[in-house]
Amino acid sequence: MPEQANRLSSKHLLGIKDLNTKDIELILETADTFKDVINRPIKKVPSLRDITIANIFFENSTRTKLSFELAQKRLSADVINFAASSSSVSKGETLIDTVNNILSMKVDMVVMRHPYAGAGVFLSKHINAQIVNAGDGAHEHPTQALLDAFSIREKYGDVAGKKVVIVGDILHSRVALSNILCLQKLGAEVKVCGPTTLIPKYIHTLGVKVEHDLRKALNWCDVANMLRIQLERQDIKYFPSLREYSMMYGLNKQILDSLDKEITIMHPGPINRGVEITSDVADSKQSIILDQVENGVAVRMAVLYLLASQKQ
Ligand code: CP
C-alpha cells in the first residue's frame, strides 16, 4: 500500500474540483504501473482482494461501467452491479435507502452514475462508504478527465504547455467541466468551441477562452476533444438542426487535412458518427479514441487502489 506521502488528499472521488495537482499526478503515475499490469499475460493483481465494490448506475453507460468493472476485477475486488432500471427504485425506494441496503451487505465502496448533478456529494454526506463519481448529470465525470489527461500525457510526454480545445455541447457536458479543471491543474491551456447557446455564461470564471470558429480553434490547438450533442439533457432547441450543427462544428477529414499542423483527436464516446465527427476522422491515425478507452481501465484501477489505501 502507498506510503502516507503517496496518498490522495480526499476520501472520495466526487469531482476533479476536490483534487490537487499532486493527487492527479499520483493517480497518473499509479495508472502507469497498472497499464503495465494489464498488458502482461496475467492481467490481475491481488491488491483489492478484501474489498467489495458496488457499481450503481442510474443512467446508461457502456465504457464507464465496463471499465470500472474490469478495473475492479483486475484488482481482485468482489463486485456487485446494480442497474436502476431493473431495481426496486421504480417502487419508490429513495437513493439513501437503496444504497444503505446495498451497504448492509458489507460493501466498502460505491461507484455511482446518476442523472442529477451533486448526487455523489449528497450521498457522501449520508452514507458510510467511499464514493466514486462515475458521472453526475451535467456536473463532473472525474475518471473521464483523468483518463483523458493520461492519454494526452502518453501521446506527448506531458500535459503542461499543451493547448486543448473542447468542441461542442459544453453546456450539458460533465466531461467538459472535469477536463477543464484537470487539464488546467496539470498546466495545459484550454479553450472551448461551439455555438453561443451551448457555451455556459460562467465559462470565463474558469479561466477558459471561447472560440466560435471551429477552424481557428483547431489551428490553435494540439488536441481537439470532440463532444457529443447531449440531446437527452436538452429540453429546448439550442440550434436549428443537427445537420446545421454538423456543418458549423462537425469535424471532417477535409478540415483536418487542411490544418496548419497535425493535431490529435479525442472523444469521450459514445460517438455520433456524421454529427460531431465523421468516420474517417474517428478512425484516422490522428484519433486516440480507443487509446482513451484502453487507458480508462488503468486509470480506474489507480483511483480504486488509491482510495482503498485511505482505509488502511
Ligand atoms: N465516456 C462515457 O462516459 O461513456 P459511457 O456513457 O458509455 O460510460
Side-chain angles (χ1 to χ4, degrees), residues 18-290:
D18 305 320
L19 299 180
N20 57 42
T21 304
K22 198 166 152 287
D23 289 327
I24 297 172
E25 283 168 353
L26 176 60
I27 292 169
L28 301 190
E29 282 158 22
T30 310
D32 285 334
T33 311
F34 286 127
K35 182 145 186 188
D36 288 344
V37 169
I38 59 179
N39 280 292
R40 287 185 201 147
I42 296 171
K43 302 173 175 63
K44 215 164 164 162
V45 286
S47 312
L48 297 196
R49 68 183 162 204
D50 302 327
I51 301 282
T52 304
I53 304 176
N55 298 315
I56 62 173
F57 278 66
F58 290 86
E59 225 186 41
N60 293 343
S61 169
T62 299
R63 280 145 292 272
T64 311
K65 188 167 183 294
L66 293 178
S67 178
F68 265 114
E69 188 173 346
L70 203 51
Q72 291 151 3
K73 289 177 171 168
R74 299 277 191 246
L75 290 165
S76 305
D78 288 323
V79 181
I80 55 171
N81 289 305
F82 165 95
S85 54
S86 57
S87 75
S88 291
V89 168
S90 60
K91 299 174 194 165
E93 197 167 40
T94 65
L95 175 61
I96 294 173
D97 280 340
T98 300
V99 176
N100 268 330
N101 275 270
I102 293 170
L103 294 182
S104 67
M105 299 177 213
K106 308 296 173 210
V107 166
D108 304 288
M109 205 184 284
V110 172
V111 175
M112 182 172 77
R113 170 166 288 191
H114 203 282
Y116 292 107
V121 176
F122 170 76
L123 201 59
S124 71
K125 293 188 171 138
H126 290 92
I127 65 156
N128 184 26
Q130 289 178 289
I131 316 279
V132 182
N133 178 7
D136 61 329
H139 181 221
E140 281 230 40
H141 193 350
T143 56
Q144 180 68 45
L146 290 164
L147 75 88
D148 289 342
F150 184 93
S151 303
I152 293 172
R153 174 175 163 274
E154 185 175 64
K155 171 84 186 176
Y156 291 101
D158 202 350
V159 176
K162 295 294 159 298
K163 292 178 177 168
V164 181
V165 65
I166 305 174
V167 182
D169 185 359
I170 313 298
L171 185 65
H172 300 100
S173 173
R174 52 196 175 211
V175 174
L177 179 60
S178 289
N179 258 266
I180 289 166
L181 298 175
C182 186
L183 295 172
Q184 286 181 335
K185 285 181 190 205
L186 292 173
E189 201 180 334
V190 185
K191 273 188 187 176
V192 294
C193 177
T196 311
T197 49
L198 290 178
I199 307 285
K201 290 191 171 44
Y202 62 79
I203 200 79
H204 298 287
T205 66
L206 299 173
V208 171
K209 292 205 176 96
V210 179
E211 173 56 72
H212 294 294
D213 183 318
L214 178 65
R215 188 177 288 276
K216 278 191 191 162
L218 296 173
N219 265 325
W220 169 83
C221 74
D222 300 301
V223 177
N225 195 348
M226 306 300 297
L227 302 184
R228 180 176 66 88
I229 296 294
Q230 310 228 349
L231 290 174
E232 73 277 20
R233 297 192 209 285
Q234 299 183 5
D235 45 8
I236 57 166
K237 268 189 170 291
Y238 289 86
F239 45 84
S241 68
L242 277 180
R243 191 160 157 268
E244 276 158 288
Y245 174 83
S246 187
M247 282 165 61
M248 295 295 289
Y249 292 102
L251 178 54
N252 60 43
K253 196 73 167 53
Q254 195 191 357
I255 298 174
L256 191 65
D257 289 346
S258 70
L259 299 177
D260 299 339
K261 61 180 174 190
E262 193 169 293
I263 65 168
T264 297
I265 306 303
M266 299 176 72
H267 194 305
I271 293 174
N272 284 159
R273 288 176 185 258
V275 180
E276 70 275 11
I277 190 169
T278 54
S279 282
D280 49 7
V281 173
D283 303 331
S284 72
K285 64 178 176 38
Q286 282 163 258
S287 159
I288 58 166
I289 294 172
L290 292 180

